Amino acid sequence: MDVLKRLKSLQKEYGWSDYRTAKEAGLASSTISNIYKRNTLPNVITLEAICKGFGITLSQFFSENDTKVIELTPETEKLFHKWLDLSDDKKSIVIQLMDALK
């Protein structure tokens, strides 16, 4: 996988500049632009910070699946964990309710 190409793709998807990407990741403002200028790969710590800024995991970053990345906010993470605790019957009821809310 071309890491720089994937990073650029995520920036385009989110509409983020190099500066915004660095800020969301908690990195120095020049970090992302320097990666591109020097054509170097970010180290694992930097890449983890970048992924955290996008709200994705390293696994999602390296996924070859072209589906849209969904940001896992604290609210959606809470919902996801509650979903995991539901029985199959209750999951079915929740899906029916959500379908009715459309």
Side-chain angles (χ1 to χ4, degrees):
M1 165 179 276
D2 185 332
V3 172
L4 299 182
K5 192 175 194 179
R6 174 70 168 137
L7 177 55
K8 189 56 85 176
S9 172
L10 283 168
Q11 286 180 281
K12 184 177 180 181
E13 181 179 332
Y14 280 69
W16 289 1
S17 64
D18 293 350
Y19 178 81
R20 170 101 188 259
T21 303
K23 286 300 173 192
E24 294 291 333
L27 301 169
S29 59
S30 60
T31 301
I32 305 300
S33 58
N34 283 338
I35 288 170
Y36 289 125
K37 285 178 190 174
R38 296 178 183 155
N39 199 30
T40 58
L41 297 177
N43 63 37
V44 174
I45 293 170
T46 300
L47 190 54
E48 283 179 330
I50 291 168
C51 288
K52 187 174 182 182
F54 282 118
I56 64 172
T57 64
L58 278 171
S59 177
Q60 288 171 306
F61 182 89
F62 287 106
S63 173
E64 296 292 332
N65 190 344
D66 286 339
T67 59
K68 182 171 174 57
V69 173
I70 299 172
E71 183 178 353
L72 191 59
T73 64
E75 184 179 47
T76 54
E77 185 174 7
K78 181 179 178 181
L79 183 62
F80 180 72
H81 286 291
K82 288 186 178 288
W83 173 264
L84 293 175
D85 292 336
L86 295 175
S87 68
D88 288 343
D89 290 340
K90 289 181 180 179
K91 287 178 182 177
S92 178
I93 292 169
V94 170
I95 289 171
Q96 289 174 17
L97 175 63
M98 291 174 72
D99 286 342
L101 293 173
K102 287 184 183 176

